[in-house]
């Protein structure tokens, strides 16, 4: 029987409420099929307020020993957001070369969407997760003077573009064999013209996959008007960030959306987390939708070679949503625990 070791990072805010249910779902889905061991670490912005560090100095060494990481989000109103990102979340994503950010968007029976077309939505956004607009280089000079200047440089490398493109085309082969590159090469005449050129070259190695490009402004319209058009989307770091929140809202709530920060070569553990943040506005009130965290666990199982366990979790979520149980973000009145417990039960008794 295979044995998986999972590091659990409940993070901040609503993460502390959603994560226990996700962990219960992992154990329920594995039961009788494979062994799973989970160990939890209290790292994040609240930990920083208590101890002065987001994670211990040997945090990455600790995480390296696990098969994968299940995380929620880091962020607290008393901590500057860019510190939570750059001193914690991005450290893990960058050091563990999690360059592929996978964000599935799908609609569920029983959950009203914001869409004009009632067709089912089932797409995966593959977001470049290590460079592009969020690469980091830049600076500010003469900040408080009339001649103040801020520079933030995007970085697009051939190696970075090729590897994300290959990931997207391979993923499309497991699905409906269609890749749409969402870009803005009409305006970004250096970076995204190059992005398009390299992806076009990679596409020629996948003649069985239908490949097309779409400008990001047009794509936002297409998301709302005809999302069934999309299968796999490959896009840049910033566009993927924005489009996936739109995708989440479109199908009912960002609280439903899972994601993976994947190191496809498996040199390091990958990290799975809901698309949403720590939601301090609703934290501690039992209002958080736990489904984004729970489905992130399903994505994790699939990548760890346990697709049946992943499917058990996904089916249980669909069953519970169809039964009418919903948290407030989906215009329901059930608590986080009621949803979490119903999903665990549906995994045990499908
Ligand atoms: P957010 O996603 O936390 O919240 C946006 C809105 O959606 C809020 O009204 C919230 O109540 C609602 N919402 C989010 N998740 C929900 C859920 N599961 N169930 C029900 N409602 C939900 O984004 P926001 O407000 O921009 O950020 C809050 C904090 O989270 C900040 O400190 C931010 O930096 C951090 N954050 C961290 C991320 C990470 O660690 N990967 C990702 C995004 C935000
Ligand atoms: Mg975001």
């Amino acid at each position: 029987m295979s044995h998986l070791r999972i590091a659990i990072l409940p993070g901040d805010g609503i993460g502390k409420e959603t994560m226990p249910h996700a962990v219960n779902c992992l154990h329920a889905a594995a039961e009788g099929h494979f062994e799973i061991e989970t160990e939890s670490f209290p790292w994040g912005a609240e930990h920083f307020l208590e101890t002065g560090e987001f994670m211990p100095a040997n945090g990455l060494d600790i995480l390296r020993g696990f098969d994968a990481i299940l995380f929620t989000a880091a962020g607290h109103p008393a901590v500057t957001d860019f510190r939570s990102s750059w001193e914690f979340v991005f450290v893990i994503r960058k050091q563990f070369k999690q360059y592929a950010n996978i964000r599935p968007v799908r609609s569920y029976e029983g959950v009203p969407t914001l869409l004009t077309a009632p067709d089912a939505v089932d797409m995966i956004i593959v977001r470049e997760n290590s460079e592009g607009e969020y690469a980091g280089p830049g600076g500010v000079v003469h900040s408080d003077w009339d001649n103040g200047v801020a520079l933030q440089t995007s970085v697009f490398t051939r190696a970075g573009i090729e590897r994300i493109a290959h990931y997207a085309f391979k993923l499309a082969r497991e699905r409906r064999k269609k890749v749409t590159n969402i870009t803005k090469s009409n305006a970004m005449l250096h970076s995204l013209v190059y992005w398009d050129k390299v992806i076009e070259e990679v596409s020629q190695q996948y003649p069985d996959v239908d490949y097309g490009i779409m400008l990001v402004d047009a794509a936002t319209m297409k998301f709302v008007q005809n999302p069934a058009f999309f299968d796999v989307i490959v896009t840049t770091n910033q566009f993927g960030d924005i489009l996936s929140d739109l995708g989440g809202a479109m199908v009912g709530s960002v609280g439903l959306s899972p994601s993976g920060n994947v190191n496809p070569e498996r040199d390091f553990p990958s990290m799975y987390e809901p698309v949403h943040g720590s939601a301090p506005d609703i934290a501690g009130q039992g209002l958080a939708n736990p489904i984004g965290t729970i489905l992130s666990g399903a994505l994790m199982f699939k990548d760890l070679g346990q697709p049946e366990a992943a499917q058990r979790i996904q089916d249980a979520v669909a069953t519970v949503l169809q039964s009418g149980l919903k948290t407030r973000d989906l215009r329901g009145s059930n608590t986080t625990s009621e949803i979490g417990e119903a999903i665990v039960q549906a995994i045990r008794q499908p």
Side-chain angles (χ1 to χ4, degrees):
M1 210 184 246
S2 78
H3 181 101
L4 295 178
R5 293 187 69 233
I6 311 297
I8 301 293
L9 304 180
D12 298 307
I14 60 170
K16 293 188 160 62
E17 297 165 72
T18 64
M19 185 60 91
H21 300 289
V23 172
N24 290 342
C25 289
L26 295 181
H27 286 285
E31 224 164 69
H33 301 277
F34 56 96
E35 301 279 338
I36 162 174
E37 186 186 329
T38 53
E39 188 175 343
S40 185
F41 304 93
W43 305 338
E46 289 163 36
H47 188 69
F48 170 77
L49 289 173
E50 286 158 25
T51 67
E53 55 185 17
F54 288 89
M55 66 175 158
N58 66 343
L60 290 175
D61 294 332
I62 294 172
L63 293 176
R64 261 205 94 154
F66 289 86
D67 294 302
I69 304 159
L70 187 61
F71 173 51
T72 60
H76 187 279
V79 179
T80 316
D81 274 339
F82 71 77
R83 292 199 65 181
S84 303
S85 302
W86 284 93
E87 293 176 42
F88 180 50
V89 187
F90 292 0
V91 176
I92 301 173
R93 290 183 189 168
K94 283 175 195 283
Q95 294 302 316
F96 286 173
K97 296 193 177 160
Q98 295 165 346
Y99 63 82
N101 186 204
I102 310 310
R103 298 185 155 191
V105 177
R106 60 156 291 190
S107 52
Y108 286 92
E109 259 179 68
V111 179
T113 70
L114 298 180
L115 302 167
T116 44
D119 298 343
V121 181
D122 181 9
M123 59 180 168
I124 297 196
I125 299 170
V126 175
R127 164 190 176 196
E128 203 296 318
N129 210 28
S130 65
E131 50 179 48
E133 307 88 338
Y134 296 170
V140 178
V141 285
H142 313 307
S143 167
D144 299 326
W145 300 87
D146 291 349
N147 57 344
V149 182
L151 296 171
Q152 179 104 33
T153 306
S154 295
V155 175
F156 288 87
T157 65
R158 173 174 282 278
I161 303 167
E162 282 182 353
R163 64 188 186 180
I164 197 68
H166 280 293
Y167 188 92
F169 282 98
K170 284 180 186 149
L171 184 63
R173 278 187 169 158
E174 296 169 21
R175 296 172 47 94
R176 302 197 303 277
K177 295 197 168 59
K178 180 175 182 183
V179 170
T180 307
N181 165 17
I182 296 187
T183 178
K184 188 67 186 171
S185 42
N186 57 338
M188 306 294 281
L189 78 169
H190 305 297
S191 57
L192 296 189
V193 169
Y194 188 60
W195 164 270
D196 288 0
K197 168 184 149 67
V198 175
I199 296 180
E200 166 75 35
E201 285 169 19
V202 171
S203 77
Q204 285 164 15
Q205 298 174 41
Y206 300 85
D208 53 320
V209 178
D210 175 18
Y211 171 65
I213 77 170
M214 193 178 289
L215 299 177
V216 66
D217 38 0
T220 57
M221 285 195 287
K222 195 83 165 175
F223 260 49
V224 178
Q225 289 169 346
N226 184 17
F229 174 87
F230 297 105
D231 177 19
V232 173
I233 288 168
V234 62
T235 192
T236 69
N237 208 332
Q238 185 173 41
F239 294 162
D241 186 9
I242 299 166
L243 287 172
S244 51
D245 273 31
L246 173 61
M250 241 163 52
V251 295
S253 163
V254 74
L256 291 173
S257 302
S259 81
N261 302 283
V262 179
N263 170 247
E265 290 74 26
R266 299 182 179 225
D267 296 327
F268 301 93
S270 296
M271 179 164 74
Y272 299 82
E273 56 174 303
V275 168
H276 63 75
S278 59
D281 56 330
I282 59 165
Q285 301 171 46
L287 296 173
N289 190 338
I291 291 177
T293 313
I294 291 170
L295 289 176
S296 300
L299 268 187
M300 180 182 76
F301 271 169
K302 181 162 180 287
D303 283 356
L304 290 174
Q306 298 293 350
E308 290 93 7
Q311 196 62 49
R312 283 192 283 280
I313 296 175
Q314 281 164 347
D315 290 347
V317 166
T319 304
V320 167
L321 285 171
Q322 214 174 347
S323 79
L325 292 176
K326 289 187 194 88
T327 40
R328 196 181 67 176
D329 55 313
L330 297 175
R331 292 187 222 124
S333 59
N334 294 103
T335 63
T336 309
S337 296
E338 283 166 354
I339 302 295
E341 284 159 19
I343 294 171
V344 170
Q345 203 178 348
I347 294 171
R348 294 224 160 92
Q349 291 154 350

